C-alpha cells in the first residue's frame, strides 16, 4: 500500500504532462498529411493560453467554459482529421454540407473491396474513435483545469505573459505563432455558410439555360447519321501523362495507340479538362460535362437532376438520335437517370453479363464495349445512337487487371471468369503504395488498349468517339495534390468531324502537351453543340 502511494504522485504528474502535450498537439496538428513533420510542431499556438485563462474562471462559469471548450476542441480535431482524409482522396478540405454523403459512399466502396463484415467493422471503429476523441478532449481539459487551479495567480500571470509575447511575435510577422486551430475552425464555419448560400443560388439559376425548350431542328446537323459515343474513363487523370511511375509507360501506350489508329485512317485531337472532383464522385463530372453547369458537390447535383436544364443526351434525343447509357457500375435503383434523357439504360443487372465480377468492378471494359455494340450498333435499319459510357475497369481496387480477348470470344462474359479469379487480392495490392500505383497504371493501359481495339475492330465513317477522364485518382495515388485535370480525346474516321472543331485548337494525336488547351468541364456541352450544329438553322453565333 505504501509503495502504491509512493508512486501515485508520479502517475498524476505524467497524466498532467500528457494532458498539456495532448492539448498542444491538438492545437498544432496540420490538416494535410504532407505538412506533418517535427517542424510543424515548432509553433506557439495562441489558443493554448486563451484556453488556459478560460479554464481559470472560477465556479460554475469555469465548468461551463470547460464544456464549451470540449465541444470546440473535439470538433476542431475531428474536422482536421476529416481534412487529412479528404485532402488525400479529393484534394480539398472536408465540407460539412457537401460531404455528408461520403459516409454512405465510403461504406459501399469498402463493402465492394473488403466485404460486408469488414465495412461494418471499419464503420464501428470510426464511430468509436470519434466518441473516444471527444471523451479525451473532456478529460484533457479537466486535468489541465485542475492543475491550473492549484496556483491560479501564478498560472494566470504565466499565461498572460506568454499570450502577450505570442501576440507580439505574431504581429511582428514571425510565422511560428498564431491561431491555426481557431482559424481552421472559423474557415469550416465560413465554408458551411457559403455552401448553404451556394445551394440556394445554384437552385435559383440552374434553369437559366438557352438550350432548355429548344427544338431539335438543326441540332448536331454535322453529325447526321453518325453514332456518337461520350466515354468517361474512370480515374484517367493528367498526372498519368506527366508523373512517374506512370508517365513513361502510359505515354508509350498512347503513342502506340496513336500510330495504330492513324494507320487505320482515324483522325484524333486531344486537350485537357478541369474536373469538378478528384479521387471519386464520378457522377459530378458526368453531370458537369453533359449539363453545361459546374457540378462540384452532391447538393448541386441534386438540384440539377430536379431541374429542367437540357443535357447533351436529351438534346441528341430531341434531334433524332436514340440515346443510351452504358452504366456497369449502377447496381442499385438510379432515379437520377431519368433526368438525362436516355431511351435505354444498361446497368449491372440488365446488360447480359454472365461472368464473374472483378471485385468492385461488375464487368470489364471490353464487355461493355462489346455488349453495347451488339445491342445498339448491329446490322439493320436503325436510328443513329448517342451513347454515354462509364468505363470502370480502372476503378479501385485495381485488381485483378483485365486482359483483352479476341472480340469474337467475349460473348456473355463468362470467358473472363479465369481473369476475374486471378491476380492479387485487394488486401495484398493495397498493402503497399507502389503496388497500388502499378495496378492503377495497368488498369488505365487496359482501358486505353480496349478503346483502341474497339475502334479498330468496329470503327467506321459513322462512328465518333469522345473519351475523357472523369477525374484524377486520389492524390496519395498520383502523388499530386493539386492536379484536377484530365485528358480528353476526340476520334473519328471522318475528317469533317475534326474540321468542325478546328476552333477548339485541340492538338493532333493522343498526347497533348503543356500548350494544349485546358477547359473547365462544364464548357464541353456548349462547345460541342456549337461545333456540330447547323448554325444558320439554330441561329448560333
Amino acid at each position: 500500500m505504501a509503495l502504491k502511494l509512493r508512486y501515485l504522485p508520479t502517475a498524476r504528474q505524467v497524466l498532467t504532462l500528457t494532458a498539456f502535450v495532448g492539448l498542444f498537439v491538438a492545437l498544432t496538428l496540420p490538416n494535410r498529411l504532407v505538412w506533418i513533420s517535427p517542424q510543424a510542431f515548432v509553433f506557439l499556438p495562441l489558443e493554448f493560453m486563451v484556453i488556459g485563462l478560460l479554464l481559470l474562471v472560477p465556479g460554475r462559469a469555469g465548468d461551463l467554459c470547460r464544456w464549451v471548450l470540449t465541444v470546440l476542441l473535439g470538433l476542431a480535431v475531428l474536422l482536421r482529421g476529416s481534412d487529412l482524409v479528404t485532402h488525400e482522396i479529393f484534394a480539398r478540405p472536408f465540407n460539412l454540407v457537401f460531404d455528408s454523403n461520403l459516409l454512405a459512399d465510403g461504406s459501399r466502396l469498402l463493402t465492394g473491396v473488403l466485404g460486408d463484415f469488414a465495412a461494418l467493422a471499419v464503420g464501428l471503429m470510426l464511430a468509436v474513435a470519434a466518441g473516444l476523441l471527444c471523451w479525451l478532449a473532456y478529460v484533457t481539459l479537466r486535468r489541465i483545469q485542475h492543475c491550473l487551479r492549484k496556483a491560479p495567480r501564478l498560472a494566470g500571470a504565466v499565461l498572460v505573459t506568454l499570450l502577450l509575447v505570442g501576440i507580439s511575435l505574431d504581429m511582428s510577422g514571425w510565422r511560428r505563432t498564431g491561431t491555426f486551430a481557431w482559424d481552421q475552425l472559423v474557415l469550416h464555419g465560413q465554408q458551411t455558410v457559403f455552401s448553404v448560400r451556394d445551394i440556394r443560388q445554384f437552385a435559383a439559376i440552374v434553369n437559366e439555360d438557352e438550350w432548355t425548350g429548344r427544338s431539335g431542328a438543326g441540332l448536331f446537323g454535322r453529325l447526321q447519321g453518325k453514332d456518337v459515343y461520350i466515354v468517361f474513363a474512370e480515374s484517367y487523370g493528367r498526372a498519368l501523362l506527366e508523373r512517374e511511375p506512370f508517365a513513361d509507360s502510359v505515354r508509350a501506350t498512347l503513342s502506340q495507340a496513336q500510330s495504330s489508329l492513324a494507320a487505320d485512317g482515324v483522325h484524333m485531337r486531344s486537350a485537357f479538362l478541369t474536373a469538378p472532383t478528384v479521387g471519386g464522385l464520378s457522377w459530378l463530372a458526368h453531370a458537369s460535362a453533359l449539363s453545361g453547369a459546374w457540378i462540384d458537390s452532391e447538393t448541386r447535383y441534386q438540384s440539377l437532376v430536379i431541374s429542367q436544364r437540357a443535357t447533351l443526351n436529351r438534346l441528341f434525343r430531341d434531334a433524332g438520335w436514340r440515346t443510351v447509357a452504358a452504366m456497369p457500375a449502377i447496381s442499385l435503383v438510379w432515379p437520377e437517370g431519368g433526368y438525362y434523357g436516355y431511351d435505354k439504360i444498361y446497368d449491372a443487372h440488365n446488360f447480359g453479363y454472365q461472368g464473374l465480377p472483378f471485385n468492385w468492378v461488375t464487368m470489364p471494359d471490353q464487355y461493355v464495349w462489346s455488349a453495347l455494340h451488339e445491342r445498339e450498333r448491329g446490322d439493320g435499319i436503325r436510328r443513329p445512337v448517342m451513347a454515354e459510357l462509364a468505363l470502370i475497369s480502372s476503378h479501385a481496387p485495381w485488381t485483378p487487371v483485365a486482359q483483352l480477348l479476341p472480340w469474337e470470344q467475349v460473348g456473355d462474359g463468362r470467358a473472363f471468369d479465369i481473369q476475374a479469379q486471378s491476380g492479387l487480392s485487394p488486401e495484398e495490392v493495397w498493402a503497399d503504395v507502389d503496388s497500388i500505383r502499378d495496378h492503377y497504371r495497368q488498369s488505365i493501359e487496359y482501358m486505353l488498349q480496349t478503346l483502341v481495339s474497339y475502334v479498330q475492330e468496329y470503327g467506321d465513317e459513322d462512328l465518333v468517339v469522345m473519351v475523357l477522364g472523369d477525374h484524377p485518382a486520389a492524390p496519395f495515388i498520383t502523388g499530386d495534390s493539386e492536379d484536377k485535370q484530365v485528358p480528353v480525346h476526340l476520334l473519328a474516321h471522318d475528317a469533317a468531324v475534326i474540321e468542325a472543331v478546328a476552333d477548339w485548337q485541340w492538338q493532333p494525336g493522343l498526347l497533348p502537351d503543356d500548350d494544349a488547351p485546358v477547359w473547365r468541364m462544364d464548357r464541353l456541352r456548349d462547345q460541342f453543340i456549337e461545333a456540330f450544329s447547323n448554325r444558320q438553322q439554330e441561329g448560333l453565333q
Side-chain angles (χ1 to χ4, degrees):
M1 184 67 177
L3 184 64
K4 180 178 178 181
L5 291 174
R6 177 183 174 185
Y7 284 99
L8 191 57
T10 302
R12 287 176 178 172
Q13 291 169 3
V14 170
L15 288 175
T16 301
L17 178 61
T18 301
F20 277 100
V21 172
L23 177 60
F24 176 82
V25 171
L27 296 175
T28 55
L29 178 69
N31 65 343
R32 297 181 64 168
L33 282 178
V34 294
W35 292 347
I36 296 180
S37 66
Q39 189 178 15
F41 296 98
V42 182
F43 190 83
L44 179 62
L46 300 182
E47 303 98 328
F48 192 94
M49 285 72 77
V50 173
I51 290 173
L53 291 171
L54 289 173
L55 291 176
L56 279 172
V57 174
R60 291 186 177 180
D63 293 338
L64 178 61
C65 286
R66 187 182 71 238
W67 280 105
V68 172
L69 290 171
T70 296
V71 173
L72 291 176
L73 183 62
L75 182 60
V77 176
L78 281 173
L79 288 174
R80 265 178 290 146
S82 300
D83 284 348
L84 288 172
V85 176
T86 54
H87 268 298
E88 288 300 296
I89 299 175
F90 303 119
R92 59 169 175 77
F94 181 78
N95 187 301
L96 279 165
V97 177
F98 294 155
D99 290 335
S100 58
N101 63 302
L102 288 182
L103 292 176
D105 295 333
S107 176
R108 285 194 291 270
L109 178 59
L110 284 172
T111 299
V113 175
L114 302 177
D116 292 332
F117 179 78
L120 178 61
V122 171
L124 289 174
M125 287 173 59
L126 289 175
V128 170
L132 181 62
L133 182 63
C134 293
W135 177 78
L136 284 174
Y138 173 78
V139 171
T140 296
L141 292 176
R142 185 177 63 180
R143 186 67 192 172
I144 291 173
Q145 185 180 50
H146 178 74
C147 176
L148 294 176
R149 284 182 172 179
K150 287 184 176 180
R153 291 185 179 180
L154 176 61
V158 171
L159 290 170
V160 169
T161 300
L162 287 174
L163 182 61
L164 292 175
V165 170
I167 292 174
S168 299
L169 290 172
D170 187 47
M171 293 178 65
S172 69
W174 195 56
R175 296 184 177 181
R176 290 296 171 184
T177 187
T179 55
F180 176 75
W182 175 252
D183 292 343
Q184 291 299 312
L185 196 59
V186 170
L187 282 174
H188 275 287
Q190 292 173 339
Q191 183 188 61
T192 300
V193 173
F194 174 81
S195 299
V196 172
R197 290 177 180 172
D198 180 69
I199 294 169
R200 295 173 179 172
Q201 292 172 356
F202 181 74
I205 66 171
V206 66
N207 287 309
E208 296 178 5
D209 178 24
E210 64 173 310
W211 297 106
T212 300
R214 291 280 190 101
S215 68
L219 284 174
F220 313 116
R222 297 182 179 184
L223 295 173
Q224 282 299 324
K226 298 187 184 299
D227 296 321
V228 179
Y229 282 9
I230 306 295
V231 184
F232 291 90
E234 174 67 38
S235 300
Y236 181 39
R238 181 170 182 167
L240 287 159
L241 279 63
E242 299 178 349
R243 297 181 67 91
E244 295 302 339
F246 318 109
D248 286 349
S249 184
V250 172
R251 290 182 70 85
T253 299
L254 285 169
S255 180
Q256 182 179 357
Q258 179 177 306
S259 298
S260 299
L261 291 172
D264 285 350
V266 178
H267 303 275
M268 296 155 279
R269 291 293 184 272
S270 298
F272 295 107
L273 302 173
T274 300
T277 183
V278 173
L281 309 180
S282 304
W283 52 92
L284 305 185
H286 292 224
S288 295
L290 297 172
S291 73
W294 187 243
I295 310 299
D296 60 352
S297 69
E298 182 69 15
T299 49
R300 278 196 167 214
Y301 179 74
Q302 294 301 330
S303 295
L304 175 71
V305 298
I306 61 172
S307 74
Q308 296 301 312
R309 191 177 186 87
T311 63
L312 198 59
N313 322 67
R314 195 186 309 167
L315 292 170
F316 264 102
R317 186 183 65 183
D318 293 344
W321 272 258
R322 171 173 164 81
T323 55
V324 301
M327 297 288 179
I330 299 296
S331 58
L332 302 173
V333 177
W334 188 41
E336 298 93 335
Y339 160 74
Y340 287 94
Y342 307 117
D343 291 311
K344 178 69 175 181
I345 298 175
Y346 296 106
D347 58 31
H349 302 296
N350 69 355
F351 216 177
Y353 183 69
Q354 299 300 312
L356 297 174
F358 285 57
N359 285 309
W360 184 91
V361 175
T362 58
M363 61 193 75
D365 289 352
Q366 189 177 10
Y367 180 83
V368 176
W369 285 104
S370 177
L372 185 65
H373 181 84
E374 179 182 346
R375 288 159 174 75
E376 298 295 339
R377 298 194 71 230
D379 295 334
I381 299 174
R382 59 179 178 80
R383 285 189 292 162
V385 172
M386 184 274 181
E388 176 190 351
L389 288 75
L391 302 180
I392 58 172
S393 284
S394 51
H395 192 290
W398 300 306
T399 185
V401 178
Q403 303 294 321
L404 272 172
L405 296 176
W407 287 95
E408 65 273 11
Q409 294 182 15
V410 172
D412 64 4
R414 281 179 282 192
F416 293 103
D417 283 356
I418 294 177
Q419 296 183 26
Q421 299 176 82
S422 64
L424 300 176
S425 68
E427 293 85 356
E428 291 173 310
V429 170
W430 282 68
D432 176 69
V433 69
D434 290 333
S435 174
I436 298 173
R437 289 170 175 169
D438 182 57
H439 282 73
Y440 166 53
R441 174 191 56 77
Q442 291 182 54
S443 69
I444 289 291
E445 291 174 351
Y446 165 76
M447 177 275 294
L448 292 169
Q449 292 162 358
T450 306
L451 160 69
V452 172
S453 181
Y454 176 82
V455 174
Q456 290 181 312
E457 183 77 14
Y458 298 111
D460 54 33
E461 289 287 318
D462 291 331
L463 178 65
V464 176
V465 179
M466 178 176 285
V467 182
L468 61 146
D470 55 2
H471 54 71
F476 84 95
I477 304 295
T478 64
D480 190 342
S481 61
E482 303 301 324
D483 179 34
K484 294 187 177 180
Q485 294 178 12
V486 297
V488 57
H489 313 292
L490 180 65
L491 296 79
H493 281 82
D494 187 351
V497 172
I498 302 301
E499 292 170 4
V501 300
D503 292 345
W504 294 3
Q505 298 182 339
W506 287 15
Q507 295 179 338
L510 297 177
L511 284 165
D513 60 28
D514 290 343
D515 296 326
V518 180
W519 296 353
R520 211 169 70 163
M521 198 172 282
D522 56 337
R523 183 179 171 186
L524 191 61
R525 183 200 68 163
D526 288 356
Q527 291 288 342
F528 200 95
I529 296 169
E530 292 176 5
F532 294 112
S533 298
N534 294 331
R535 297 171 184 264
Q536 291 182 347
Q537 292 181 10
E538 266 302 320
L540 296 175
Q541 301 299 320

